[in-house]
Amino acid sequence: MKHRKEGEWRDIPVPNSLQPFIEGLPVHNATGGLPYPDLLRKSWDRSIKRLGLPEYNPHDLRHKWATVTLTSGVSIHEVSRWLGHRSIKVTVDKYGHLTRDGRERCRQVVEAAVAPHMLTTSRTTSGPGAGSVLA
């Protein structure tokens, strides 16, 4: 799906299962703009009320999308690009706590890189470098 913000077009990843709904929305006019600026929001609000759902707005879907992608391991750089942030700092400041790039992930990466080279009781401890940690 194409989305226009501040004079820029960008693609927005939409699951195939939602395509029939997206294509059915009268969101764009012949020139690609909104036929009525408040059309989507008014329709949204009526639908939420009619369905008895908790009040939230379309922008909440953006936050949900960012949360789902980041907690599922999508790169924060990629999520930042899809969100259209001009700087990754914006994304990191708002969503950085959701990434798997935290302390434990860092420890696991270092462990995987170093562990195969660690001395074990089965390796010899004599000779050059016998006192070092790495074999």
Side-chain angles (χ1 to χ4, degrees):
M1 176 174 154
K2 298 279 188 186
H3 176 70
R4 186 178 180 139
K5 182 177 180 179
E6 299 176 24
E8 297 178 7
W9 284 97
R10 67 176 178 263
D11 290 319
I12 298 174
V14 176
N16 289 335
S17 59
L18 294 180
Q19 285 301 330
F21 301 104
I22 300 290
E23 293 169 2
L25 290 174
V27 175
H28 297 104
N29 62 22
T31 62
L34 294 175
Y36 307 103
D38 294 332
L39 177 64
L40 180 62
R41 184 55 193 257
K42 286 179 181 179
S43 296
W44 175 277
D45 290 342
R46 279 193 310 269
S47 297
I48 293 293
K49 186 176 180 178
R50 187 180 74 241
L51 294 169
L53 297 173
E55 286 189 35
Y56 61 99
N57 61 57
H59 198 77
D60 293 333
L61 293 177
R62 176 181 172 89
H63 294 300
K64 179 67 173 179
W65 181 88
T67 300
V68 167
T69 55
L70 289 169
T71 57
S72 298
V74 176
S75 158
I76 197 162
H77 290 90
E78 189 64 16
V79 171
S80 181
R81 187 177 73 80
W82 283 110
L83 289 172
H85 292 160
R86 295 211 183 269
S87 166
I88 193 169
K89 184 179 182 328
V90 174
T91 314
V92 170
D93 287 349
K94 185 154 187 86
Y95 301 105
H97 65 286
L98 299 173
T99 66
R100 293 185 180 178
D101 297 333
R103 183 178 217 133
E104 179 59 19
R105 177 69 178 132
C106 185
R107 188 198 64 74
Q108 291 171 358
V109 167
V110 172
E111 178 70 22
V114 173
H117 306 287
M118 298 300 292
L119 286 177
T120 62
T121 54
S122 64
R123 292 189 182 179
T124 180
T125 57
S126 61
S132 67
V133 175
L134 299 176

